[in-house]
Amino acid sequence: MTGRNDTQEACNKVEEGYNFLGKKWVGIIIHTLSKEPKRFSEILGAIPDLSKRMLNERMKELEDYGIVIRNVITDRPVRTQYSLTRKGNELGVTLRVFEKWAEKWM
């Protein structure tokens, strides 16, 4: 009986992951942060058609999932940068495989 419960739990986690990644802008935000940390305005400028409100919402969700970390730099002037966590970097590697597939087949 344990095998069925383990399978159901795995399916639930995969479904949750797909639902999260399926939200508009999530994948491209992760892609944008995959090379280096960026300030909010840099992320916003890198993604055409993304509104401030939507970026703010997605960044909060990415922080809640532990994919992005918000770093406050206390130098003058005070700045905030966003970067991928270890969890976010692993997801970024996975998304790069998908990006290669999309470039080839889409």
Side-chain angles (χ1 to χ4, degrees), residues 3-32:
R4 182 170 168 80
N5 289 339
D6 290 345
T7 301
Q8 183 61 43
E9 186 177 335
C11 287
N12 290 341
K13 287 182 178 187
V14 170
E15 182 178 6
E16 182 181 357
Y18 278 129
N19 287 336
F20 181 69
L21 277 176
K23 290 184 174 186
K24 192 167 185 174
W25 308 113
V26 167
I28 197 72
I29 292 169
I30 294 168
H31 173 84
T32 301

PDB file of all heavy atoms in Angstrom, residues 3-32:
ATOM      1  N   GLY A   3       3.545   1.912  -1.669  1.00  0.00           N
ATOM      2  CA  GLY A   3       3.952   2.256  -3.027  1.00  0.00           C
ATOM      3  C   GLY A   3       2.950   3.165  -3.710  1.00  0.00           C
ATOM      4  O   GLY A   3       3.317   4.122  -4.387  1.00  0.00           O
ATOM      5  N   ARG A   4       1.673   2.875  -3.538  1.00  0.00           N
ATOM      6  CA  ARG A   4       0.630   3.701  -4.152  1.00  0.00           C
ATOM      7  C   ARG A   4       0.629   5.106  -3.549  1.00  0.00           C
ATOM      8  O   ARG A   4       0.492   6.101  -4.263  1.00  0.00           O
ATOM      9  CB  ARG A   4      -0.731   3.037  -3.973  1.00  0.00           C
ATOM     10  CG  ARG A   4      -1.877   3.801  -4.610  1.00  0.00           C
ATOM     11  CD  ARG A   4      -3.145   2.969  -4.600  1.00  0.00           C
ATOM     12  NE  ARG A   4      -4.306   3.709  -4.928  1.00  0.00           N
ATOM     13  CZ  ARG A   4      -4.687   4.031  -6.156  1.00  0.00           C
ATOM     14  NH1 ARG A   4      -3.945   3.659  -7.172  1.00  0.00           N
ATOM     15  NH2 ARG A   4      -5.788   4.698  -6.378  1.00  0.00           N
ATOM     16  N   ASN A   5       0.792   5.206  -2.239  1.00  0.00           N
ATOM     17  CA  ASN A   5       0.838   6.513  -1.586  1.00  0.00           C
ATOM     18  C   ASN A   5       2.053   7.313  -2.039  1.00  0.00           C
ATOM     19  O   ASN A   5       1.969   8.515  -2.238  1.00  0.00           O
ATOM     20  CB  ASN A   5       0.844   6.356  -0.064  1.00  0.00           C
ATOM     21  CG  ASN A   5      -0.491   5.890   0.467  1.00  0.00           C
ATOM     22  OD1 ASN A   5      -1.519   6.032  -0.177  1.00  0.00           O
ATOM     23  ND2 ASN A   5      -0.475   5.306   1.655  1.00  0.00           N
ATOM     24  N   ASP A   6       3.203   6.639  -2.172  1.00  0.00           N
ATOM     25  CA  ASP A   6       4.413   7.313  -2.649  1.00  0.00           C
ATOM     26  C   ASP A   6       4.223   7.825  -4.070  1.00  0.00           C
ATOM     27  O   ASP A   6       4.639   8.936  -4.396  1.00  0.00           O
ATOM     28  CB  ASP A   6       5.620   6.367  -2.600  1.00  0.00           C
ATOM     29  CG  ASP A   6       6.058   6.046  -1.170  1.00  0.00           C
ATOM     30  OD1 ASP A   6       5.629   6.751  -0.239  1.00  0.00           O
ATOM     31  OD2 ASP A   6       6.824   5.083  -1.006  1.00  0.00           O
ATOM     32  N   THR A   7       3.600   7.016  -4.908  1.00  0.00           N
ATOM     33  CA  THR A   7       3.343   7.415  -6.296  1.00  0.00           C
ATOM     34  C   THR A   7       2.397   8.608  -6.339  1.00  0.00           C
ATOM     35  O   THR A   7       2.634   9.564  -7.079  1.00  0.00           O
ATOM     36  CB  THR A   7       2.746   6.238  -7.099  1.00  0.00           C
ATOM     37  OG1 THR A   7       3.666   5.156  -7.063  1.00  0.00           O
ATOM     38  CG2 THR A   7       2.468   6.635  -8.537  1.00  0.00           C
ATOM     39  N   GLN A   8       1.348   8.570  -5.528  1.00  0.00           N
ATOM     40  CA  GLN A   8       0.392   9.680  -5.493  1.00  0.00           C
ATOM     41  C   GLN A   8       1.062  10.959  -5.003  1.00  0.00           C
ATOM     42  O   GLN A   8       0.848  12.026  -5.556  1.00  0.00           O
ATOM     43  CB  GLN A   8      -0.808   9.341  -4.597  1.00  0.00           C
ATOM     44  CG  GLN A   8      -1.872  10.416  -4.582  1.00  0.00           C
ATOM     45  CD  GLN A   8      -2.478  10.660  -5.948  1.00  0.00           C
ATOM     46  OE1 GLN A   8      -2.766   9.728  -6.688  1.00  0.00           O
ATOM     47  NE2 GLN A   8      -2.655  11.923  -6.301  1.00  0.00           N
ATOM     48  N   GLU A   9       1.906  10.841  -3.985  1.00  0.00           N
ATOM     49  CA  GLU A   9       2.616  12.008  -3.468  1.00  0.00           C
ATOM     50  C   GLU A   9       3.550  12.591  -4.522  1.00  0.00           C
ATOM     51  O   GLU A   9       3.611  13.810  -4.705  1.00  0.00           O
ATOM     52  CB  GLU A   9       3.414  11.641  -2.215  1.00  0.00           C
ATOM     53  CG  GLU A   9       4.060  12.842  -1.562  1.00  0.00           C
ATOM     54  CD  GLU A   9       4.801  12.491  -0.280  1.00  0.00           C
ATOM     55  OE1 GLU A   9       4.468  11.491   0.366  1.00  0.00           O
ATOM     56  OE2 GLU A   9       5.731  13.247   0.063  1.00  0.00           O
ATOM     57  N   ALA A  10       4.255  11.721  -5.249  1.00  0.00           N
ATOM     58  CA  ALA A  10       5.143  12.189  -6.315  1.00  0.00           C
ATOM     59  C   ALA A  10       4.342  12.885  -7.411  1.00  0.00           C
ATOM     60  O   ALA A  10       4.752  13.941  -7.908  1.00  0.00           O
ATOM     61  CB  ALA A  10       5.943  11.022  -6.890  1.00  0.00           C
ATOM     62  N   CYS A  11       3.205  12.312  -7.774  1.00  0.00           N
ATOM     63  CA  CYS A  11       2.358  12.933  -8.799  1.00  0.00           C
ATOM     64  C   CYS A  11       1.863  14.301  -8.336  1.00  0.00           C
ATOM     65  O   CYS A  11       1.827  15.247  -9.132  1.00  0.00           O
ATOM     66  CB  CYS A  11       1.172  12.032  -9.122  1.00  0.00           C
ATOM     67  SG  CYS A  11       1.587  10.568 -10.077  1.00  0.00           S
ATOM     68  N   ASN A  12       1.503  14.405  -7.074  1.00  0.00           N
ATOM     69  CA  ASN A  12       1.035  15.692  -6.547  1.00  0.00           C
ATOM     70  C   ASN A  12       2.136  16.743  -6.613  1.00  0.00           C
ATOM     71  O   ASN A  12       1.882  17.898  -6.965  1.00  0.00           O
ATOM     72  CB  ASN A  12       0.542  15.539  -5.112  1.00  0.00           C
ATOM     73  CG  ASN A  12      -0.747  14.752  -5.009  1.00  0.00           C
ATOM     74  OD1 ASN A  12      -1.477  14.587  -5.974  1.00  0.00           O
ATOM     75  ND2 ASN A  12      -1.022  14.233  -3.823  1.00  0.00           N
ATOM     76  N   LYS A  13       3.357  16.359  -6.273  1.00  0.00           N
ATOM     77  CA  LYS A  13       4.478  17.298  -6.318  1.00  0.00           C
ATOM     78  C   LYS A  13       4.767  17.736  -7.751  1.00  0.00           C
ATOM     79  O   LYS A  13       5.025  18.912  -8.007  1.00  0.00           O
ATOM     80  CB  LYS A  13       5.722  16.682  -5.692  1.00  0.00           C
ATOM     81  CG  LYS A  13       5.642  16.577  -4.194  1.00  0.00           C
ATOM     82  CD  LYS A  13       6.911  16.001  -3.614  1.00  0.00           C
ATOM     83  CE  LYS A  13       6.832  15.958  -2.101  1.00  0.00           C
ATOM     84  NZ  LYS A  13       8.115  15.555  -1.509  1.00  0.00           N
ATOM     85  N   VAL A  14       4.734  16.796  -8.669  1.00  0.00           N
ATOM     86  CA  VAL A  14       4.987  17.132 -10.080  1.00  0.00           C
ATOM     87  C   VAL A  14       3.892  18.059 -10.592  1.00  0.00           C
ATOM     88  O   VAL A  14       4.173  19.049 -11.272  1.00  0.00           O
ATOM     89  CB  VAL A  14       5.094  15.856 -10.940  1.00  0.00           C
ATOM     90  CG1 VAL A  14       5.103  16.189 -12.421  1.00  0.00           C
ATOM     91  CG2 VAL A  14       6.348  15.066 -10.565  1.00  0.00           C
ATOM     92  N   GLU A  15       2.656  17.765 -10.252  1.00  0.00           N
ATOM     93  CA  GLU A  15       1.550  18.632 -10.675  1.00  0.00           C
ATOM     94  C   GLU A  15       1.703  20.034 -10.105  1.00  0.00           C
ATOM     95  O   GLU A  15       1.514  21.027 -10.811  1.00  0.00           O
ATOM     96  CB  GLU A  15       0.214  18.034 -10.230  1.00  0.00           C
ATOM     97  CG  GLU A  15      -0.979  18.863 -10.677  1.00  0.00           C
ATOM     98  CD  GLU A  15      -2.313  18.257 -10.275  1.00  0.00           C
ATOM     99  OE1 GLU A  15      -2.337  17.247  -9.553  1.00  0.00           O
ATOM    100  OE2 GLU A  15      -3.339  18.818 -10.680  1.00  0.00           O
ATOM    101  N   GLU A  16       2.082  20.129  -8.830  1.00  0.00           N
ATOM    102  CA  GLU A  16       2.304  21.443  -8.218  1.00  0.00           C
ATOM    103  C   GLU A  16       3.425  22.195  -8.942  1.00  0.00           C
ATOM    104  O   GLU A  16       3.322  23.392  -9.204  1.00  0.00           O
ATOM    105  CB  GLU A  16       2.652  21.299  -6.736  1.00  0.00           C
ATOM    106  CG  GLU A  16       2.848  22.628  -6.042  1.00  0.00           C
ATOM    107  CD  GLU A  16       3.227  22.492  -4.575  1.00  0.00           C
ATOM    108  OE1 GLU A  16       3.293  21.372  -4.050  1.00  0.00           O
ATOM    109  OE2 GLU A  16       3.460  23.546  -3.953  1.00  0.00           O
ATOM    110  N   GLY A  17       4.499  21.472  -9.285  1.00  0.00           N
ATOM    111  CA  GLY A  17       5.608  22.088 -10.018  1.00  0.00           C
ATOM    112  C   GLY A  17       5.174  22.602 -11.383  1.00  0.00           C
ATOM    113  O   GLY A  17       5.516  23.726 -11.767  1.00  0.00           O
ATOM    114  N   TYR A  18       4.416  21.797 -12.119  1.00  0.00           N
ATOM    115  CA  TYR A  18       3.928  22.238 -13.429  1.00  0.00           C
ATOM    116  C   TYR A  18       2.997  23.437 -13.300  1.00  0.00           C
ATOM    117  O   TYR A  18       3.055  24.367 -14.105  1.00  0.00           O
ATOM    118  CB  TYR A  18       3.202  21.110 -14.161  1.00  0.00           C
ATOM    119  CG  TYR A  18       4.117  20.157 -14.885  1.00  0.00           C
ATOM    120  CD1 TYR A  18       4.017  18.780 -14.696  1.00  0.00           C
ATOM    121  CD2 TYR A  18       5.076  20.614 -15.780  1.00  0.00           C
ATOM    122  CE1 TYR A  18       4.839  17.907 -15.360  1.00  0.00           C
ATOM    123  CE2 TYR A  18       5.907  19.747 -16.452  1.00  0.00           C
ATOM    124  CZ  TYR A  18       5.783  18.389 -16.242  1.00  0.00           C
ATOM    125  OH  TYR A  18       6.604  17.524 -16.906  1.00  0.00           O
ATOM    126  N   ASN A  19       2.125  23.417 -12.291  1.00  0.00           N
ATOM    127  CA  ASN A  19       1.212  24.550 -12.096  1.00  0.00           C
ATOM    128  C   ASN A  19       1.980  25.829 -11.806  1.00  0.00           C
ATOM    129  O   ASN A  19       1.639  26.892 -12.314  1.00  0.00           O
ATOM    130  CB  ASN A  19       0.220  24.257 -10.970  1.00  0.00           C
ATOM    131  CG  ASN A  19      -0.833  23.257 -11.385  1.00  0.00           C
ATOM    132  OD1 ASN A  19      -1.132  23.090 -12.558  1.00  0.00           O
ATOM    133  ND2 ASN A  19      -1.390  22.566 -10.411  1.00  0.00           N
ATOM    134  N   PHE A  20       3.014  25.720 -10.983  1.00  0.00           N
ATOM    135  CA  PHE A  20       3.809  26.902 -10.670  1.00  0.00           C
ATOM    136  C   PHE A  20       4.566  27.400 -11.898  1.00  0.00           C
ATOM    137  O   PHE A  20       4.534  28.585 -12.222  1.00  0.00           O
ATOM    138  CB  PHE A  20       4.778  26.616  -9.521  1.00  0.00           C
ATOM    139  CG  PHE A  20       5.603  27.812  -9.153  1.00  0.00           C
ATOM    140  CD1 PHE A  20       5.019  28.906  -8.551  1.00  0.00           C
ATOM    141  CD2 PHE A  20       6.951  27.855  -9.440  1.00  0.00           C
ATOM    142  CE1 PHE A  20       5.774  30.031  -8.220  1.00  0.00           C
ATOM    143  CE2 PHE A  20       7.709  28.958  -9.112  1.00  0.00           C
ATOM    144  CZ  PHE A  20       7.113  30.056  -8.510  1.00  0.00           C
ATOM    145  N   LEU A  21       5.248  26.485 -12.587  1.00  0.00           N
ATOM    146  CA  LEU A  21       6.017  26.891 -13.770  1.00  0.00           C
ATOM    147  C   LEU A  21       5.121  27.387 -14.899  1.00  0.00           C
ATOM    148  O   LEU A  21       5.566  28.159 -15.743  1.00  0.00           O
ATOM    149  CB  LEU A  21       6.861  25.729 -14.281  1.00  0.00           C
ATOM    150  CG  LEU A  21       8.177  25.527 -13.574  1.00  0.00           C
ATOM    151  CD1 LEU A  21       8.882  24.293 -14.113  1.00  0.00           C
ATOM    152  CD2 LEU A  21       9.068  26.744 -13.703  1.00  0.00           C
ATOM    153  N   GLY A  22       3.867  26.955 -14.892  1.00  0.00           N
ATOM    154  CA  GLY A  22       2.936  27.371 -15.929  1.00  0.00           C
ATOM    155  C   GLY A  22       2.430  28.792 -15.763  1.00  0.00           C
ATOM    156  O   GLY A  22       1.808  29.344 -16.671  1.00  0.00           O
ATOM    157  N   LYS A  23       2.719  29.399 -14.620  1.00  0.00           N
ATOM    158  CA  LYS A  23       2.295  30.786 -14.427  1.00  0.00           C
ATOM    159  C   LYS A  23       3.108  31.694 -15.339  1.00  0.00           C
ATOM    160  O   LYS A  23       4.316  31.519 -15.485  1.00  0.00           O
ATOM    161  CB  LYS A  23       2.500  31.223 -12.970  1.00  0.00           C
ATOM    162  CG  LYS A  23       1.548  30.568 -12.013  1.00  0.00           C
ATOM    163  CD  LYS A  23       1.745  31.107 -10.629  1.00  0.00           C
ATOM    164  CE  LYS A  23       0.698  30.550  -9.699  1.00  0.00           C
ATOM    165  NZ  LYS A  23       0.775  31.171  -8.373  1.00  0.00           N
ATOM    166  N   LYS A  24       2.411  32.636 -15.925  1.00  0.00           N
ATOM    167  CA  LYS A  24       3.062  33.550 -16.853  1.00  0.00           C
ATOM    168  C   LYS A  24       4.231  34.264 -16.176  1.00  0.00           C
ATOM    169  O   LYS A  24       4.105  34.704 -15.035  1.00  0.00           O
ATOM    170  CB  LYS A  24       2.054  34.566 -17.393  1.00  0.00           C
ATOM    171  CG  LYS A  24       2.595  35.342 -18.569  1.00  0.00           C
ATOM    172  CD  LYS A  24       1.498  36.092 -19.267  1.00  0.00           C
ATOM    173  CE  LYS A  24       2.064  36.749 -20.512  1.00  0.00           C
ATOM    174  NZ  LYS A  24       1.037  37.388 -21.311  1.00  0.00           N
ATOM    175  N   TRP A  25       5.340  34.344 -16.862  1.00  0.00           N
ATOM    176  CA  TRP A  25       6.557  35.057 -16.501  1.00  0.00           C
ATOM    177  C   TRP A  25       7.498  34.284 -15.581  1.00  0.00           C
ATOM    178  O   TRP A  25       8.659  34.667 -15.468  1.00  0.00           O
ATOM    179  CB  TRP A  25       6.272  36.437 -15.886  1.00  0.00           C
ATOM    180  CG  TRP A  25       5.366  37.293 -16.696  1.00  0.00           C
ATOM    181  CD1 TRP A  25       4.110  37.693 -16.356  1.00  0.00           C
ATOM    182  CD2 TRP A  25       5.622  37.852 -17.991  1.00  0.00           C
ATOM    183  NE1 TRP A  25       3.574  38.469 -17.347  1.00  0.00           N
ATOM    184  CE2 TRP A  25       4.479  38.581 -18.375  1.00  0.00           C
ATOM    185  CE3 TRP A  25       6.704  37.793 -18.865  1.00  0.00           C
ATOM    186  CZ2 TRP A  25       4.384  39.246 -19.575  1.00  0.00           C
ATOM    187  CZ3 TRP A  25       6.602  38.468 -20.071  1.00  0.00           C
ATOM    188  CH2 TRP A  25       5.460  39.186 -20.418  1.00  0.00           C
ATOM    189  N   VAL A  26       7.071  33.226 -14.933  1.00  0.00           N
ATOM    190  CA  VAL A  26       7.936  32.531 -13.978  1.00  0.00           C
ATOM    191  C   VAL A  26       9.204  32.015 -14.652  1.00  0.00           C
ATOM    192  O   VAL A  26      10.322  32.275 -14.191  1.00  0.00           O
ATOM    193  CB  VAL A  26       7.181  31.388 -13.255  1.00  0.00           C
ATOM    194  CG1 VAL A  26       8.135  30.473 -12.506  1.00  0.00           C
ATOM    195  CG2 VAL A  26       6.147  31.969 -12.295  1.00  0.00           C
ATOM    196  N   GLY A  27       9.059  31.280 -15.737  1.00  0.00           N
ATOM    197  CA  GLY A  27      10.221  30.710 -16.423  1.00  0.00           C
ATOM    198  C   GLY A  27      11.182  31.766 -16.932  1.00  0.00           C
ATOM    199  O   GLY A  27      12.402  31.635 -16.783  1.00  0.00           O
ATOM    200  N   ILE A  28      10.657  32.826 -17.504  1.00  0.00           N
ATOM    201  CA  ILE A  28      11.526  33.863 -18.070  1.00  0.00           C
ATOM    202  C   ILE A  28      12.210  34.675 -16.968  1.00  0.00           C
ATOM    203  O   ILE A  28      13.342  35.124 -17.148  1.00  0.00           O
ATOM    204  CB  ILE A  28      10.762  34.760 -19.082  1.00  0.00           C
ATOM    205  CG1 ILE A  28      11.729  35.545 -19.962  1.00  0.00           C
ATOM    206  CG2 ILE A  28       9.777  35.659 -18.404  1.00  0.00           C
ATOM    207  CD1 ILE A  28      12.443  34.708 -20.964  1.00  0.00           C
ATOM    208  N   ILE A  29      11.567  34.844 -15.827  1.00  0.00           N
ATOM    209  CA  ILE A  29      12.215  35.520 -14.698  1.00  0.00           C
ATOM    210  C   ILE A  29      13.387  34.669 -14.211  1.00  0.00           C
ATOM    211  O   ILE A  29      14.487  35.184 -13.977  1.00  0.00           O
ATOM    212  CB  ILE A  29      11.216  35.806 -13.561  1.00  0.00           C
ATOM    213  CG1 ILE A  29      10.200  36.866 -13.995  1.00  0.00           C
ATOM    214  CG2 ILE A  29      11.958  36.246 -12.297  1.00  0.00           C
ATOM    215  CD1 ILE A  29       9.021  37.027 -13.045  1.00  0.00           C
ATOM    216  N   ILE A  30      13.176  33.377 -14.073  1.00  0.00           N
ATOM    217  CA  ILE A  30      14.257  32.479 -13.660  1.00  0.00           C
ATOM    218  C   ILE A  30      15.386  32.527 -14.681  1.00  0.00           C
ATOM    219  O   ILE A  30      16.562  32.610 -14.328  1.00  0.00           O
ATOM    220  CB  ILE A  30      13.733  31.051 -13.457  1.00  0.00           C
ATOM    221  CG1 ILE A  30      12.768  31.021 -12.264  1.00  0.00           C
ATOM    222  CG2 ILE A  30      14.885  30.060 -13.252  1.00  0.00           C
ATOM    223  CD1 ILE A  30      11.973  29.750 -12.135  1.00  0.00           C
ATOM    224  N   HIS A  31      15.040  32.497 -15.954  1.00  0.00           N
ATOM    225  CA  HIS A  31      16.045  32.596 -17.021  1.00  0.00           C
ATOM    226  C   HIS A  31      16.848  33.891 -16.883  1.00  0.00           C
ATOM    227  O   HIS A  31      18.069  33.892 -16.996  1.00  0.00           O
ATOM    228  CB  HIS A  31      15.374  32.527 -18.392  1.00  0.00           C
ATOM    229  CG  HIS A  31      16.300  32.795 -19.526  1.00  0.00           C
ATOM    230  ND1 HIS A  31      17.094  31.822 -20.077  1.00  0.00           N
ATOM    231  CD2 HIS A  31      16.584  33.937 -20.197  1.00  0.00           C
ATOM    232  CE1 HIS A  31      17.821  32.355 -21.044  1.00  0.00           C
ATOM    233  NE2 HIS A  31      17.529  33.637 -21.135  1.00  0.00           N
ATOM    234  N   THR A  32      16.167  34.987 -16.630  1.00  0.00           N
ATOM    235  CA  THR A  32      16.815  36.295 -16.509  1.00  0.00           C
ATOM    236  C   THR A  32      17.797  36.336 -15.335  1.00  0.00           C
ATOM    237  O   THR A  32      18.850  36.972 -15.432  1.00  0.00           O
ATOM    238  CB  THR A  32      15.738  37.393 -16.352  1.00  0.00           C
ATOM    239  OG1 THR A  32      14.876  37.356 -17.491  1.00  0.00           O
ATOM    240  CG2 THR A  32      16.355  38.772 -16.247  1.00  0.00           C
TER     241      THR A  32
END
